[in-house]
Amino acid sequence: TAYTHQRRKMGRMSSNNSSRLSGQKVSVERLRIQGVPSSVCDLIENMLDCFLGDLRSDESYEHMIDVKCDLHLLIKKPNKFLRCHVPSTGLELSNVVYGQDKELSFLKDCYQRFLSGSCNFPIITGPSGIGKTLLATRFGDHVSHSGGVFISGKFDQHHQATPFMAITHAFNEYCSFLVANTECSNATSVVSSLRDSLGNDAGYLAKVIPNLSLFFGDIGEYNGHVECVNAQKRLQYLLCRFVETVSTSSKTPVALFLDDLQWADPASIAVIRLLLLSKPSRFFIFGSYRDYGVNEDDDNRLFIESLSDLGVSVETIKMTLM
C-alpha cells in the first residue's frame, strides 16, 4: 500500500510484537486488542525498536520529521490507514475510524435539525492535534454521501492581515464544484441565480473568489459605482449576498466548515455573524476552535459566547484527550 511505501523505514516487525526496555517486556499487543489501528501500533512499535537500537539504520526512523510525516499521512487518509481488523476478537472495523463516534453522531444530529429549520452553530473545541479537523472531514463525507456539498476553509495565525481568507477559499471551492457539475440542473440554476444576483458586482467579488470567472466568463475589472466607502464592508455585503443566493436557489444543502476560528480576522467574524443571523436555509455553517491557552477575554471567544443572546443556538462539541 501507499502507507507501506511511505513508511519504508519502519523496518521488520518482531515476531511477538514486543521489545525489551530496561529489562522489562514492552508490547503493543494490548493496543491491538483494544482496537487501536494496526498502522498506529506499527508506528509505536518501530519507535520503541529505534530507541532500543534493535533495527538497522536503514530500517528505522532517523529523525522525528519522519515520524511526523507518517502521522500526517495517517490523518490525511484516515479511511485508508486508520481502519483495522482485530484478529483477537474477529471484529472487522472496516467502517469505523478509531474514536469520535459520539461526537460524529452529535454533529450529524445538528445537521438534521438544521435541515428541519433549526438555527444552530456547532463548534468543535479542544486542544491542538486532538482531531477536530478529522472529525469535520468525516462529517463532510456524510454530507457528500447524503447528497449535500461540503466545503471548508482554514484560518491561519500568520495570515490574519488577509481578510476573509478562509471564507473565500471555501466559496472558491464551491464555484469549482458548480463548474464541474454544469450538467446538473441544480448547479445550472445556482449559476444562473448568481449571475442575476451579483450582476456587475461579480467583477469585484471575483477579486477574492477568482473561480467566479469560470462561469461568468471574462468579467474583467469592476467599473461600477462604489456604494460603500469601506471596501471590507462592501465585500462583507457581497459575500452575504453570495450565500443568500445559493441558499434560495439550490435544492442541495451546503455544509461550510471554518477551521481554527481562534485565528479568524475581525472582518471574517463580522461576515460569520451576519450569515448566522440571516439564517440561510440551505447553508449549514460550523467551525472548530482551539480553546486551550486562549484568554477568557479573547474577541473571538466572546463572539461565540454572544451568539446565544442573538438567537443562535451554539452547539459545543468538546473533544478531550482520552
Side-chain angles (χ1 to χ4, degrees):
T1 65
Y3 176 73
T4 303
H5 175 72
Q6 174 71 17
R7 64 182 188 89
R8 57 187 178 278
K9 292 183 180 180
M10 291 186 70
R12 301 185 303 270
M13 300 294 298
S14 60
S15 58
N16 60 358
N17 292 324
S18 62
S19 301
R20 190 170 296 276
L21 182 60
S22 300
Q24 295 183 347
K25 208 79 168 177
V26 179
S27 173
V28 299
E29 193 60 29
R30 181 174 295 180
L31 297 179
R32 298 184 192 278
I33 294 174
Q34 292 179 348
V36 176
S38 295
S39 53
V40 178
C41 293
D42 292 349
L43 186 146
I44 295 172
E45 185 173 60
N46 182 267
M47 292 184 69
L48 287 170
D49 289 341
C50 291
F51 178 79
L52 296 168
D54 289 348
L55 298 176
R56 298 193 307 269
S57 61
D58 61 337
E59 296 177 323
S60 62
Y61 288 118
E62 295 179 349
H63 305 285
M64 282 303 297
I65 189 64
D66 296 325
V67 180
K68 182 178 179 180
C69 288
D70 281 349
L71 287 172
H72 178 74
L73 183 62
L74 297 181
I75 295 173
K76 187 176 181 181
K77 297 183 178 181
N79 291 344
K80 189 170 185 179
F81 300 132
L82 294 183
R83 295 178 178 180
C84 64
H85 177 73
V86 185
S88 59
T89 63
L91 296 178
E92 180 68 36
L93 302 181
S94 59
N95 293 316
V96 178
V97 177
Y98 185 70
Q100 301 186 341
D101 294 330
K102 182 179 178 180
E103 292 86 353
L104 179 60
S105 178
F106 183 81
L107 193 51
K108 289 179 180 179
D109 181 63
C110 291
Y111 181 59
Q112 290 303 317
R113 285 188 280 114
F114 165 79
L115 294 178
S116 299
S118 174
C119 177
N120 55 48
F121 178 54
I123 183 80
I124 308 169
T125 66
S128 175
I130 196 68
K132 301 185 294 295
T133 304
L134 176 59
L135 173 62
T137 301
R138 293 182 65 196
F139 170 72
D141 291 340
H142 166 72
V143 171
S144 300
H145 293 157
S146 60
V149 179
F150 176 71
I151 55 177
S152 64
K154 183 180 179 70
F155 291 104
D156 191 313
Q157 179 182 11
H158 303 294
H159 292 86
Q160 289 179 293
T162 305
F164 316 116
M165 186 176 72
I167 299 173
T168 54
H169 178 274
F171 291 178
N172 209 43
E173 183 180 340
Y174 181 68
C175 289
S176 296
F177 167 82
L178 292 176
V179 173
N181 291 271
T182 51
E183 295 181 357
C184 173
S185 59
N186 183 73
T188 302
S189 174
V190 173
V191 169
S192 177
S193 297
L194 284 172
R195 285 184 179 133
D196 294 339
S197 175
L198 296 176
N200 291 333
D201 285 327
Y204 192 82
L205 192 56
K207 293 180 179 180
V208 292
I209 309 178
N211 282 347
L212 270 176
S213 61
L214 294 178
F215 49 79
F216 271 85
D218 185 13
I219 51 182
E221 292 292 326
Y222 177 80
N223 296 314
H225 178 64
V226 179
E227 297 181 359
C228 182
V229 176
N230 190 311
Q232 283 193 359
K233 288 185 177 180
R234 183 175 171 199
L235 281 174
Q236 288 172 7
Y237 166 73
L238 291 176
L239 290 169
C240 290
R241 189 198 290 183
F242 180 93
V243 172
E244 179 185 5
T245 302
V246 173
S247 299
T248 56
S249 61
S250 176
K251 297 179 181 179
T252 301
V254 178
L256 168 63
F257 172 56
L258 297 173
D259 201 0
D260 280 342
L261 280 167
Q262 73 276 0
W263 306 129
D265 56 281
S268 293
I269 290 295
V271 169
I272 296 169
R273 178 186 288 109
L274 289 171
L275 291 177
L276 291 173
L277 293 180
S278 67
K279 302 179 181 180
S281 59
R282 309 296 288 176
F283 227 96
F284 178 71
I285 304 172
F286 72 110
S288 72
Y289 183 85
R290 190 185 306 173
D291 57 353
Y292 282 65
V294 178
N295 296 331
E296 292 293 330
D297 58 351
D298 175 72
D299 288 341
N300 291 357
R301 179 196 286 270
L302 295 175
F303 154 70
I304 294 172
E305 294 175 349
S306 70
L307 288 173
S308 297
D309 297 331
L310 300 175
V312 178
S313 176
V314 178
E315 309 273 5
T316 302
I317 304 172
K318 190 172 184 63
M319 302 187 68
T320 58
L321 293 171
M322 298 180 64

